Amino acid sequence: MNPSPLSATPRAPFDQLVELLGQSGQGYALWTAEGHLLMATPAWCQWFDVPPSSATGQPLQLLLSAAAWQTHSQRFTAAGKGQRQEYDDTRHDDFGAQRHRRIQLTPGAADAQGRHEVLMTLNDVGREYARGAVITRQHEQLQTLQEQLRSRRDDDGELDKLRTLLDWRTAMLTEHNEMLQLLSHEIRQPLNNASAAMQATLKAIDDLHLPDATPATKALLRAEHVMQQVIGTLDNTLAAGTILAVGGKAGASSETDLPTLIKLVLHDIAADLRPRIDVQWQTQPRTVQLHPALMRLTIRNLLHNALAYAPAETQVALRISESDEPLALILEVIDQGPGIPAELLPRLFDKGSRSNHSHNRPGAGLGLFIVRSVLQLHQGTVEALPLSPHGTVMRLVIPQGLAE
């Protein structure tokens, strides 16, 4: 009977993580603050023409071709300084067809010199480029139809043409939303699978009580945190696109079991951070009227912010209560952090708004913008309140009993 891979060497858990990520078909690579490759999946090696057998431990500059290094080195340097990067890379295959990958560089832990580890994620965005080409063609056709309508204002068939134009525009918006949902599924699912694989590997290490497993465990925890940041950024970006695309219509709210929703939110938080969250029920658990997916993302964004800015030894409270006049559900996320700077408060919920103290933290400034947008869709409110002697209360008020 062959020995278990987990018990072969102290690095076996980390090697198993690489194998699990490789099976997802996604391109991942993790390198040190000094620029030495810690791990890379076959998809990453294939995209950069790097032999998988000799990649680990080598400097990136020696692994990549001169042309690839010239293309990416400035982005790598910026990520190593703690600045998150996102851009597209296009190549031609052997048949001359274009292939597109979206590259995300997420900074991780920093060393004493302020240099950061970096996680690279490659996502196939060929469908997105194809969708863009379809929309461009439809836009050109739409312009042609508009010109024809303007030149035939006196024609008896003008009304029918205008109706055709409206139907066409509706179909375009429908196609746009469907493509957005498809993109969300095809990118997010492999990320979820990789995150689940990391958590399973961590549990396996803990169950086996392996000696000298601490370095591998720490590396896995760092990778899981970075993965959660990537998933959060993707969810926020897709949610922002959906909200803007539908023009402020969230879709139908539904009767949602509140305890189940809270459990799902907690499951979205990295396992080692969950013990810091104190859920305080000040009302009887029940069903509520809301959009579950958008509200799950909203609460998760607030918890991520609180956990990131509050001291690591403090707890973050999630308080659930309700009011009768008006009838509403009240959710509060309470932290013991440094509070919100006065100069940031007027633009706190604006898209892309970030504090001067958050420049080393990953993110695109979409989290609180999503929170406000979702509350507006629910005809509710969100406000940031100071907590004495220090800390912040983020209060959500979600009306209940509204007519559809």
Side-chain angles (χ1 to χ4, degrees), residues 267-286:
H267 185 268
D268 292 338
I269 305 297
D272 61 319
L273 295 179
R274 290 174 202 160
R276 290 182 56 194
I277 300 174
D278 177 24
V279 180
Q280 302 175 359
W281 290 92
Q282 296 188 349
T283 182
Q284 289 296 324
R286 60 183 179 85

Side-chain angles (χ1 to χ4, degrees), residues 7-8 18 31 91 139 154 168 180 217 250 263 267 301 352 400:
S7 61
V18 177
W31 57 82
R91 298 190 176 190
H139 181 68
D154 298 331
W168 202 339
L180 196 62
T217 300
K263 288 179 182 178
H267 185 268
N301 282 342
Q400 299 294 293

Side-chain angles (χ1 to χ4, degrees), residues 86-297:
E86 180 172 325
Y87 59 102
D88 290 355
D89 191 19
T90 300
R91 298 190 176 190
H92 292 82
D93 61 21
D94 296 336
F95 301 97
Q98 286 188 335
R99 295 184 298 160
H100 307 278
R101 296 292 185 272
R102 179 151 299 148
I103 296 176
Q104 293 178 325
L105 302 177
T106 305
D111 62 13
Q113 288 76 38
R115 300 173 301 182
H116 292 254
E117 295 180 346
V118 177
L119 175 70
M120 173 185 278
T121 306
L122 289 174
N123 289 311
D124 188 345
V125 290
R127 288 181 179 271
E128 184 176 345
Y129 276 80
R131 176 176 62 87
V134 170
I135 291 177
T136 298
R137 287 196 300 271
Q138 290 182 337
H139 181 68
E140 292 172 352
Q141 294 170 341
L142 193 57
Q143 286 184 321
T144 300
L145 181 56
Q146 288 174 329
E147 292 172 358
Q148 292 174 351
L149 289 173
R150 282 195 296 268
S151 66
R152 299 179 181 180
R153 291 185 182 277
D154 298 331
D155 194 305
D156 292 339
E158 182 178 355
L159 182 59
D160 290 337
K161 292 181 182 289
L162 288 173
R163 287 173 178 166
T164 301
L165 175 62
L166 180 60
D167 292 342
W168 202 339
R169 180 178 181 277
T170 302
M172 285 178 60
L173 289 174
T174 301
E175 181 180 3
H176 174 285
N177 193 48
E178 290 175 351
M179 291 296 294
L180 196 62
Q181 296 302 320
L182 177 63
L183 183 66
S184 170
H185 174 76
E186 294 197 355
I187 294 180
R188 196 184 192 284
Q189 191 58 47
L191 293 175
N192 282 335
N193 293 342
S195 179
M198 290 182 192
Q199 295 185 34
T201 305
L202 280 168
K203 186 176 186 307
I205 295 173
D206 186 60
D207 291 344
L208 291 173
H209 304 291
L210 296 174
D212 301 324
T214 301
T217 300
K218 289 183 177 179
L220 284 169
L221 285 173
R222 289 199 303 270
E224 185 190 7
H225 279 224
V226 173
M227 190 69 68
Q228 291 294 338
Q229 292 165 1
V230 172
I231 292 173
T233 300
L234 175 64
D235 283 345
N236 282 331
T237 303
L238 290 170
T242 300
I243 289 171
L244 293 175
V246 301
K249 297 180 179 178
S253 296
S254 60
E255 287 290 333
T256 302
D257 184 69
L258 191 55
T260 300
L261 176 62
I262 299 301
K263 288 179 182 178
L264 290 173
V265 171
L266 295 178
H267 185 268
D268 292 338
I269 305 297
D272 61 319
L273 295 179
R274 290 174 202 160
R276 290 182 56 194
I277 300 174
D278 177 24
V279 180
Q280 302 175 359
W281 290 92
Q282 296 188 349
T283 182
Q284 289 296 324
R286 60 183 179 85
T287 60
V288 290
Q289 191 75 22
L290 47 75
H291 192 292
L294 291 178
M295 193 56 63
R296 175 179 176 181
L297 177 59

Side-chain angles (χ1 to χ4, degrees), residues 324-338:
D324 293 329
E325 290 293 338
L327 184 62
L329 171 68
I330 301 175
L331 302 174
E332 294 174 310
V333 174
I334 306 166
D335 66 63
Q336 301 175 45

Side-chain angles (χ1 to χ4, degrees), residues 341-350:
E343 68 273 11
L344 180 62
L345 281 173
R347 53 185 175 86
L348 182 63
F349 297 98
D350 292 348

